[in-house]
Amino acid sequence: MTPALRCVGLRMKFGDTVAVDGLDLEVERGEVFGLLGPNGAGKTTTIRMITTLLPAPPGAIQVLGRDVARQRTAVRRLIGYVPQQLSADGTLTGRENVALFARLYDVPRVGRADQVAAVLDAMDLTEVADRPSKTYSGGMVRRLELAQALVSAPQLLILDEPTVGLDPVARDGVWDKIASIRAATGMTVLVTTHAMQEADEHCERVALMHRGRIRAQGSPDELKDALGPGTTLDDVFRHHTGNALIGDNENGGMRDVRAARRTARRVG
Amino acid sequence: MSALPVAPPAASAETEPGPLALARTVASRIATTCLVELQKLRHDRTELVTRAVQPALWLLVFGQVFTRIRAIPTGSTPYLDFLAPGILAQSALFIAIFYGIQIIWERDAGVLAKLLVTPTPRIALVGAKAFAAGVRAVAQAVVVLVLALILGVHLATNPLKIIALVAALLLGSAFFCCLSITIAGLVLSRDRLMGIGQAITMPLFFASNALYPVQLMPGWLQVVNHINPLSYEVEALRGLLVGTSARLLLDFGVLLVSAIVMIVIASALLPRLARG
Ligand SMILES: Nc1ncnc2c1ncn2[C@@H]1O[C@H](COP(=O)(O)OP(=O)(O)OP(=O)(O)O)[C@@H](O)[C@H]1O
Ligand SMILES: [Mg+2]
C-alpha cells in the first residue's frame, strides 16, 4: 500500500532564504504524525507545498499515490487543511462556515445538511452552531476549523500548529478531537507543532525539523530511548541539532511575533 | 460522538477537469459565493445603510444644489435624474474596489489558503468574487434607487430594463472587483493597495460621465472617458433608468469583454498573492 504522504528531496527558496532544504518524509496511512521544529524551521512552507499552495516539482510529493504537481485537483479532494492562523469567517455562523466548505468540496446536496450537522456535533459545536463565529473563543474557532476540514471526509488531515495561541484546556480539547477523529474514521493526520511535550503525548511518530531539514524521525519513545533513560523530546531535538535551542532560528522571530499578534487580534 | 463522514470509496476526479467540468465548477462556485454573500448581508444589514450614506449625500447635496443652480446643462433631463445613475455606478465602484482589500485580508488571515486548497479552479474563485461584488452592488442599488425615487427622480419601471440594469451592474462590478484583485496581486500589501485604491477610484469617477455630460469635458478628458469602463456602465444605466441616449450594444459589449479580460488577469495573479 502506498503511504499517505511521501516527500522526496523537497526544496523551497524565498529569495536568499532556503526554507526547505532537501526534505524526505514518509507518513503511513492512519497514523498521527508530528512534524516538529522551532520557528522558521520550514514547517509551514513544507505544508504549503503539500497542499498545492506553493509549487512542487513533479515527483517530489505524493499524497496517497497521487503526484501533487500532476494531479492537483485529485490531491485537493483528498486533503483537509487547517492553516496556522485562526481563519474562520467571523461574520458567518459556525454552521454557515462549515456548509460553505461542504459546497466547495462538492458534498452532494442530498444529505449535505446532515453531514454539516454531524461534523459540528462531533466537534462539540452544536449548541453554538447558529451564532456568528466571531463570538467564539480561540479553542472553539479551532474546532470549527476542524469541522470545516472534516466535512469533505478527507483521507489526509493536515493541521499547521493547531494548538498555538490556545490555553491548556483548549489545547487538550483540540488533541482530544484529533484522537477521536482518527478513531472514528481512521484518517491520517499530519500535524506541525513546536511544542515538543504535546507531540510526545499525542503523536505516534514524529520528525524533527531544523533549518529546512529532517534531523531525526521515529516514534517519540524510540527517539528518547536512543539517548538513554530520562530524556525528553527537547533533549532529543538538541542532540540532533547540535544544541540549537528551540526558538534559536535567526529567521523565525519577527514573523512569529506578527503571526501571534494576528492570532491574538482575531481571537480577542 | 456522532458519526463523522468517512472518505468516499474513490476520489471522483483523478485527472484534471476538462472544460465541461470546469464550467460546472465555476457555476457551482458562483452560486455558493453568492449564497454566502447574501448570508453576510443578512447578518450585517447596517452595512447597507452605512454604505448608503455617501451616495445619499451626493444625491441630496450635490444633486439638489446643482439642479437648482443649473450649472451643468443636461438638456431636457433634470440634473438630479442625470446624476442618479452616475451615483449608482459610483457606489457599485466603491464596493467592488473593496474586494481587493478584502482578498489581502483573507490572505493574511489564512482564509485564502483554505479556499485555494479546495478543489476550486482559480478562475472559479475569482469569478465567484466578481459575482459576489455584483450581488452586493445590486443590493446597494436598491437602497440608492429608493432614495432617488423619494427625491423625485423619474425612473423607468419596465422589468426588461431593470434586468438589463442588474446585468450592467454585475458586469461593471466584476470588472472593478477584478481590477482591485489584480492590483492586490501586484502590490501584495494592504497599505499599498489602500493608497493605490484611492489614487485610482477617484480619477476613475471624475474622468467619467457620472457627474457631467461628455460634451462638457476638455478634449483630453474625453479621451480618458473613452477608455474608462465606468463611463460605459454609467451610459448604460442612464439610458435604461432615465431614457437618455445610450449605445447599449456598445456599452454592454465593452462591459462584458473588459469583465472577462479582468477576471482572467486576476486569476493569473492569484497564486502570486497566495505565495506572498
Ligand atoms: N512568503 C515568504 N517569503 C519570504 N520568506 C518566507 C516566506 N515564507 C517563509 N519564509 C521564510 O522561510 C523560513 C521558513 O518559514 P516557515 O514559515 O516555513 O517556518 P515554520 O517552521 O512554519 O515556523 P513557525 O513556527 O514560525 O510557523 C523562514 O526563514 C521564513 O522567514
Ligand atoms: Mg509555521
Side-chain angles (χ1 to χ4, degrees):
Chain A
M1 194 116 120
T2 50
L5 171 69
R6 176 185 286 148
C7 301
V8 183
L10 210 56
R11 260 168 234 286
M12 178 55 68
K13 263 170 80 170
F14 297 105
D16 291 338
T17 315
V18 181
V20 180
D21 186 14
L23 175 129
D24 297 311
L25 194 66
E26 207 164 293
V27 177
E28 293 307 323
R29 292 191 185 207
E31 67 181 351
V32 176
F33 189 97
L35 183 59
L36 315 190
N39 292 146
K43 306 181 295 293
T44 298
T45 305
T46 305
I47 299 269
R48 285 160 62 81
M49 293 178 83
I50 298 167
T51 51
T52 74
L53 287 168
L54 289 172
I61 307 174
Q62 293 200 330
V63 172
L64 295 132
R66 279 91 165 171
D67 193 293
V68 165
R70 293 205 185 93
Q71 291 162 284
R72 214 183 286 189
T73 309
V75 167
R76 288 188 186 138
R77 285 189 191 281
L78 293 171
I79 53 187
Y81 169 55
V82 177
Q84 189 164 346
Q85 305 98 315
L86 293 175
S87 60
D89 192 322
T91 54
L92 296 178
T93 67
R95 192 184 307 280
E96 287 165 347
N97 265 297
V98 178
L100 166 62
F101 276 76
R103 289 197 186 86
L104 292 177
Y105 278 97
D106 303 302
V107 172
R109 191 194 321 237
V110 181
R112 192 195 286 147
D114 292 339
Q115 197 153 323
V116 169
V119 289
L120 281 165
D121 194 46
M123 295 301 113
D124 290 337
L125 292 168
T126 302
E127 263 167 41
V128 295
D130 295 307
R131 266 174 31 192
S133 66
K134 63 178 167 229
T135 65
Y136 287 14
S137 70
M140 285 155 81
V141 172
R142 260 286 118 96
R143 281 186 277 126
L144 175 59
E145 290 191 284
L146 283 172
Q148 286 181 302
L150 287 171
V151 74
S152 58
Q155 299 194 31
L156 173 62
L157 181 61
I158 300 181
L159 313 170
D160 197 358
E161 309 249 8
T163 59
V164 78
L166 302 186
D167 69 42
V169 177
R171 264 181 226 191
D172 284 345
V174 168
W175 284 114
D176 273 358
K177 289 304 165 204
I178 294 172
S180 57
I181 290 162
R182 215 273 303 262
T185 64
M187 84 178 54
T188 313
V189 183
L190 169 64
V191 47
T192 77
T193 178
H194 53 239
M196 299 287 161
Q197 176 81 41
E198 288 181 29
D200 193 353
E201 272 174 53
H202 303 286
C203 298
E204 284 147 307
R205 286 203 311 135
V206 297
L208 305 185
M209 189 170 183
H210 183 56
R211 298 198 177 160
R213 286 191 193 179
I214 302 294
R215 306 298 167 129
Q217 216 175 139
S219 77
D221 286 340
E222 272 165 28
L223 292 174
K224 288 183 293 185
D225 289 349
L227 284 196
T231 46
T232 65
L233 264 191
D234 268 316
D235 300 328
V236 176
F237 185 82
R238 271 190 213 112
H239 174 80
H240 288 284
T241 57
N243 269 329
L245 286 169
I246 298 290
D248 196 23
N249 264 37
E250 67 269 49
N251 297 318
M254 267 318 284
R255 272 169 26 88
D256 194 55
V257 172
R258 260 196 287 141
R261 276 209 207 109
R262 219 148 47 205
T263 304
R265 227 182 296 137
R266 295 178 52 72
V267 176
Chain B
M1 171 154 169
S2 65
L4 277 169
V6 177
S12 38
E14 286 298 316
T15 51
E16 292 305 296
L20 206 68
L22 182 72
R24 244 201 340 257
T25 312
V26 172
S28 146
R29 297 302 186 262
I30 286 177
T32 298
T33 314
C34 187
L35 179 81
V36 168
E37 216 56 33
L38 292 175
Q39 287 171 337
K40 287 187 184 174
L41 272 176
R42 206 184 57 214
H43 292 309
D44 192 7
R45 290 199 196 86
T46 54
E47 202 193 302
L48 275 180
V49 178
T50 49
R51 274 184 188 269
V53 170
Q54 206 179 13
L57 284 176
W58 275 97
L59 286 177
L60 274 171
V61 181
F62 196 85
Q64 304 269 46
V65 169
F66 277 70
T67 302
R68 223 154 279 168
I69 61 176
R70 298 176 197 280
I72 300 173
T74 48
S76 53
T77 319
Y79 183 65
L80 198 61
D81 292 21
F82 178 88
L83 180 68
I87 297 306
L88 200 62
Q90 181 210 39
S91 86
L93 167 70
F94 287 179
I95 290 174
I97 290 290
F98 179 73
Y99 274 76
I101 298 169
Q102 188 191 330
I103 209 161
I104 289 197
W105 177 85
E106 287 186 350
R107 194 265 322 262
D108 291 343
V111 178
L112 184 61
K114 251 162 52 170
L115 292 176
L116 287 171
V117 169
T118 66
T120 302
R122 274 62 182 139
I123 196 139
L125 211 64
V126 172
K129 288 257 171 220
F131 201 79
V135 169
R136 251 179 214 259
V138 170
Q140 195 64 56
V142 174
V143 180
V144 175
L145 286 179
V146 167
L147 206 82
L149 275 177
I150 293 171
L151 290 176
V153 174
H154 315 283
L155 297 174
T157 49
N158 177 339
L160 273 181
K161 287 190 173 172
I162 302 292
I163 292 172
L165 172 107
V166 168
L169 277 175
L170 289 178
L171 289 172
S173 304
F175 172 80
F176 291 113
C177 166
C178 293
L179 175 67
S180 176
I181 293 176
T182 298
I183 299 171
L186 291 174
V187 303
L188 301 177
S189 96
R190 186 166 12 178
D191 300 338
R192 266 177 285 171
L193 179 65
M194 299 251 268
I196 294 180
Q198 265 172 358
I200 66 160
T201 36
M202 277 314 179
L204 275 174
F205 177 54
F206 286 113
S208 79
N209 53 355
L211 297 179
Y212 22 75
V214 187
Q215 300 84 319
L216 292 190
M217 296 179 185
W220 65 269
L221 199 57
Q222 290 199 14
V223 174
V224 180
N225 176 66
H226 262 303
I227 52 170
N228 184 354
L230 188 67
S231 292
Y232 295 88
E233 186 182 347
V234 172
E235 185 177 290
L237 294 180
R238 193 170 280 147
L240 291 165
L241 271 178
V242 295
T244 50
S245 76
R247 302 156 293 175
L248 286 181
L249 220 54
L250 173 72
D251 296 334
F252 276 95
V254 169
L255 287 175
L256 184 67
V257 171
S258 54
I260 291 173
V261 168
M262 217 60 219
I263 288 177
V264 171
I265 296 176
S267 310
L269 280 168
L270 204 59
R272 183 180 139 87
L273 192 62
R275 225 169 287 174

